[in-house]
Amino acid sequence: MRRRAGRAAIALALALVLALSAPACSRPPVAPDASAADVGWTAHGRTPDEQRYSPLARIDETNVASLGLAWSFDLETRHGVEATPLVIDGVMFVSAPWSVVHALDAKTGRPLWQFDPAVPRATARKACCGIVNRGVAADAGRLFVGTLDGRLVALDAKSGAKRWETQTVDPSQPYTITGAPRVVAGLVVIGNGGAELGVRGYVSAYHVETGELAWRTYTVPGDPAKGFESPALERAAATWSGEWWMMGGGGTAWDAFAWDPELDLLYVGTGNGGPFPIWTRSPGAGGDNLYLSSILALRPKTGELVWHFQTTPGDSWDYTATQHMILADLEIGGRLRKVLMQAPKNGYFWVIDRETGEFISAAPYTTVTWSKGVDAKGRPIVDPALDYREQPKLVHPGPAGGHNWQPMSFHPGTGLVYIPAFDVPMVFTAKPDFRFRPGFENTGLDFRNFIAFDEGQKIEIDAFLLAWDPIAQREVWRVPHVTTNNGGVLSTGGNLVFQGTADGRLVAYRASDGEKLWEAPAGTGVIAAPITYQIDGVQYVSVAAGWGGSFALSGGPAALLAGVWGGGRVLTYALGAHAEPPPKAMPPPPTGHAPKPPASPPSADLLARGSFLYHDHCMACHGPKAISGGTVVDLRDASAETLDRLEAIVLGGEREPLGMPRFDDRLKADEVEAIRVYLLSRNRRTDLRSATTPAN
Ligand code: CA
């Protein structure tokens, strides 16, 4: 940075000499250096089209090798960091786990204020995929954050003081908010999640100034006996059967929005069905189950549905269409088309006419086996051979998709979309005798064997950064990764693409050919997307790093391939900077005493019961076979003290303040005892595994 400042000083001196020596009459008009202007990152996807491309080009392919750490800020969390920071007037706003918002000086990282919405720790139980938050929205001096427990809070951007707050969900239902709000036409728009537990999805819009509800649009029909909220929902109800509303139905809009102010359309991506298998929620006839796994175009002022495009009719695989949507104008077949692009979980890259919802093209961007292709209207052709109703079936993609919430980026210069993609199949196993239980995990799947591996076993996971030509619908280049759950993507006018990796690096590639030009250690896995901004003529690249999210929670040994641990921090880079990097995040060392082996080996029946209960109630956060994926404590290291207190912890809520919710409404004492015996069998401080090897 010093060297760069020196050059700038020389250039300025030279300009002064030239200006002073030139005759006044012929002095050229002094054009302000437009490239030196301050440029922020003022909305989640930078612009309403959510391209996540910045024209800033002071950092480019020729000098990116000299990028160094300018500053870092400790987010003081071990949980997943998924936020895209905003930078407005030199201030960075970044959200952390538990929906905490930090305001930092974007030049130095100096903390300005912090807002903690005090989310009750018991809310963790409702969050399928971690206590994460993907960012804030801003409008005219206000900030908006959705909290994990379903509130929408407006803050004063200068002071962090609360302006208003409203509850957007029924707190008795298992709704959560992890997504970033968007400000659209004077309204702040927010969705929610919870399809896995059994809720009905919807989007709400509130007046930015007052927090008053402007409209609410449900994504799936409710109980027909109560009447439909709109003709669109009445039409949707004809595509369902049975009593789906008793189970919520799903279709939650938990992440992606995009906005075209000219067409006056707000685009909403909707989630999977709840429960997953269609025969459990819409028995008999099945049907498309509108508007699950769909892209909805709504009128921003009213929430009225203008058109819909369903990417996975009658979804049975958790194939959400909540993934990032990008709006761009592309010349296709000799015509300039206003398109919407999405790579949802189902493995197809879609190009849709965003004015009409008309299908333009689709092609698989990863391995796809659930479908044999799409028909002329863009409807996927489901392969009946992979129906898992009668017996388990290996299906590509698995429920994590071929691409998840990690944002893509579109570079108008290269014309490419950069997709943080992967190829991770799953054996889908229908839960025998599935029965919906309110408030429980209600996927309808049996996860005990979903990852058929144990410690030391080779794991077949493919993950890559994919450069995709959306017009030709083909891959242009790819960069393979160590494991899945890598970061979102940024592209810039410097012919660069930035992406963080699961194994703890931030990397810059040449946008046109994928050649790696620079990397820096992040000291933790990077899953969020980087941003770039410019202040006082200096361009910065910044990322909110922090391993976590669903893969780190339930991925166990596969997640540990990344070799990182959760440890949230904001890392900000500039040319020639050389700040000291923060220490690498490390797993907490085991505490307390090693548990003692039982007097006599437990019965195989008790162990099997403990394993079943563990995987039904605990695995989603503590990992398969009690193997932590790098975010929560590894239960294989549980101390004698912890195992002795297991009933008080699980049923009594003894560690609720630490984020371990109570389960007294789900589990009984004898069930906790079976889980305790199972955990003892998995303990690696007291090596009992050879003596007591459970079947699962
Ligand atoms: Ca889901």
Side-chain angles (χ1 to χ4, degrees):
M1 218 142 86
R2 208 171 300 136
R3 205 172 59 198
R4 195 175 170 80
R7 271 203 210 126
I10 292 165
L12 183 66
L14 208 62
L16 277 171
V17 169
L18 287 172
L20 290 172
S21 60
C25 56
S26 68
R27 190 183 299 167
V30 180
D33 181 3
S35 66
D38 282 6
V39 176
W41 186 285
T42 57
H44 192 62
R46 201 182 80 87
T47 40
D49 56 22
E50 306 263 337
Q51 291 187 353
R52 288 180 176 267
Y53 163 82
S54 169
L56 290 179
R58 295 211 153 190
I59 300 168
D60 66 17
E61 57 182 313
T62 68
N63 61 21
V64 67
S66 69
L67 206 56
L69 188 68
W71 58 262
S72 66
F73 176 78
D74 190 347
L75 290 168
E76 291 181 350
T77 179
R78 212 167 59 200
H79 293 277
V81 177
E82 299 188 352
T84 298
L86 300 189
V87 174
I88 300 165
D89 297 334
V91 179
M92 176 181 288
F93 304 101
V94 58
S95 61
W98 295 120
S99 331
V100 173
V101 182
H102 299 267
L104 311 170
D105 182 323
K107 262 174 88 164
T108 64
R110 183 172 61 91
L112 302 174
W113 55 257
Q114 187 199 106
F115 172 76
D116 183 349
V119 172
R121 284 349 189 203
T123 315
R125 222 182 82 171
K126 297 181 180 177
C128 70
C129 307
I131 53 166
V132 297
N133 189 284
R134 288 186 212 92
V136 299
D139 179 65
R142 297 180 205 87
L143 287 184
F144 306 95
V145 61
T147 67
L148 192 71
D149 56 339
R151 289 170 286 151
L152 183 66
V153 184
L155 303 174
D156 184 289
K158 280 226 154 54
S159 65
K162 196 192 290 181
R163 291 251 187 112
W164 53 258
E165 171 179 321
T166 185
Q167 177 52 263
T168 74
V169 302
D170 173 355
S172 73
Q173 299 283 313
Y175 284 105
T176 51
I177 295 177
T178 56
R182 306 289 200 284
V183 173
V184 174
L187 301 173
V188 52
V189 174
I190 188 75
N192 48 55
E196 273 62 45
L197 284 85
V199 298
R200 182 185 180 201
Y202 59 86
V203 181
S204 312
Y206 297 86
H207 291 283
V208 289
E209 287 188 17
T210 60
E212 186 197 341
L213 182 69
W215 54 259
R216 174 164 295 171
T217 295
Y218 286 92
T219 59
V220 293
D223 181 355
K226 293 180 179 166
F228 297 106
E229 290 89 351
S230 68
L233 286 167
E234 188 167 6
R235 289 194 298 275
T239 68
W240 292 72
S241 62
E243 297 185 316
W244 70 88
W245 62 91
M246 303 286 285
M247 294 174 276
T252 46
W254 53 263
D255 194 54
F257 297 97
W259 175 35
D260 186 331
E262 211 172 288
L263 292 177
D264 192 29
L265 290 173
L266 164 69
Y267 304 97
V268 178
T270 73
N272 57 282
F276 289 178
I278 187 169
W279 53 89
T280 60
R281 62 173 192 267
S282 189
D288 286 354
N289 287 189
L290 293 171
Y291 299 98
L292 295 180
S293 307
S294 298
I295 297 159
L296 307 181
L298 308 181
R299 281 286 169 240
K301 292 227 161 49
T302 61
E304 180 200 354
L305 181 69
V306 179
W307 58 255
H308 75 274
F309 184 88
Q310 191 173 39
T311 57
T312 308
D315 165 52
S316 280
W317 307 271
D318 192 12
Y319 288 161
T320 63
T322 52
Q323 280 58 50
H324 182 197
M325 295 176 288
I326 293 176
L327 314 183
D329 295 351
L330 303 180
E331 196 179 311
I332 300 174
R335 269 172 73 195
L336 193 67
R337 304 289 298 261
K338 291 177 179 296
V339 308
L340 180 153
M341 299 180 280
Q342 190 189 46
K345 280 193 194 174
N346 74 10
Y348 287 107
F349 188 92
W350 299 92
V351 179
I352 308 290
D353 184 315
R354 73 173 180 273
E355 195 166 1
T356 60
E358 183 199 345
F359 167 71
I360 296 176
S361 63
Y365 62 87
T366 184
T367 308
V368 172
T369 63
W370 69 278
S371 153
K372 296 176 181 174
V374 302
D375 70 15
K377 290 194 162 164
R379 184 185 174 88
I381 302 154
V382 176
D383 185 350
L386 292 187
D387 188 311
Y388 62 91
R389 187 182 315 223
E390 303 297 340
Q391 46 176 302
K393 293 283 168 63
L394 178 74
V395 181
H396 293 253
H403 163 229
N404 209 301
W405 61 268
Q406 282 90 339
M408 314 187 291
S409 176
F410 172 70
H411 192 302
T414 63
L416 302 176
V417 177
Y418 303 93
I419 314 170
F422 44 91
D423 183 2
V424 181
M426 187 182 98
V427 176
F428 282 79
T429 308
K431 196 181 253 181
D433 310 317
F434 169 71
R435 201 167 40 83
F436 181 83
R437 298 168 296 175
F440 282 57
E441 180 267 284
N442 280 301
T443 59
L445 297 193
D446 182 344
F447 282 107
R448 269 177 298 170
N449 289 314
F450 93 103
I451 297 175
F453 52 69
D454 207 335
E455 300 101 307
Q457 193 172 327
K458 184 167 163 42
I459 301 155
E460 297 294 343
I461 281 181
D462 202 7
F464 36 88
L465 173 62
L466 194 61
W468 189 262
D469 178 342
I471 297 171
Q473 287 280 17
R474 64 174 181 89
E475 174 181 336
V476 175
W477 55 258
R478 76 165 62 193
V479 175
H481 288 316
V482 173
T483 188
T484 188
N485 206 31
N486 297 283
V489 184
L490 161 73
S491 65
T492 73
N495 194 21
L496 295 172
V497 170
F498 290 88
Q499 187 195 22
T501 65
D503 57 310
R505 295 170 293 138
L506 181 64
V507 189
Y509 305 95
R510 188 182 291 125
S512 42
D513 63 10
E515 190 183 326
K516 189 172 92 176
L517 301 175
W518 169 85
E519 72 172 34
T524 180
V526 183
I527 54 177
I531 61 161
T532 187
Y533 56 95
Q534 186 162 283
I535 302 173
D536 297 340
V538 178
Q539 185 186 352
Y540 299 88
V541 172
S542 186
V543 69
W547 184 236
S550 60
F551 179 67
L553 290 167
S554 60
L560 286 181
L561 274 181
V564 295
W565 198 265
R569 70 276 304 268
V570 180
L571 301 165
T572 300
Y573 301 86
L575 291 173
H578 43 71
E580 196 63 33
K584 189 177 176 207
M586 300 292 282
T591 55
H593 294 89
K596 289 203 166 52
S600 57
S603 73
D605 278 359
L606 183 58
L607 274 177
R609 184 159 178 253
S611 171
F612 176 82
L613 290 164
Y614 171 85
H615 287 90
D616 211 19
H617 299 281
C618 320
M619 186 216 76
C621 290
H622 287 283
K625 301 179 183 181
I627 304 168
S628 166
T631 292
V632 298
V633 290
D634 197 308
L635 289 179
R636 292 172 300 164
D637 295 332
S639 65
E641 291 82 356
T642 292
L643 291 176
D644 286 349
R645 303 287 307 161
L646 201 63
E647 194 181 316
I649 294 166
V650 177
L651 302 185
E654 201 170 77
R655 295 191 186 166
E656 210 164 66
L658 300 174
M660 167 61 203
R662 64 203 291 163
F663 285 77
D664 54 334
D665 59 334
R666 278 200 212 180
L667 290 164
K668 296 189 171 57
D670 67 306
E671 293 173 318
V672 177
E673 172 58 14
I675 292 170
R676 190 188 68 82
V677 169
Y678 173 69
L679 289 179
L680 195 53
S681 79
R682 298 290 301 150
N683 200 283
R684 55 182 175 180
R685 299 167 72 193
T686 305
D687 196 1
L688 306 171
R689 280 169 296 176
S690 53
T692 57
T693 303
N696 290 301

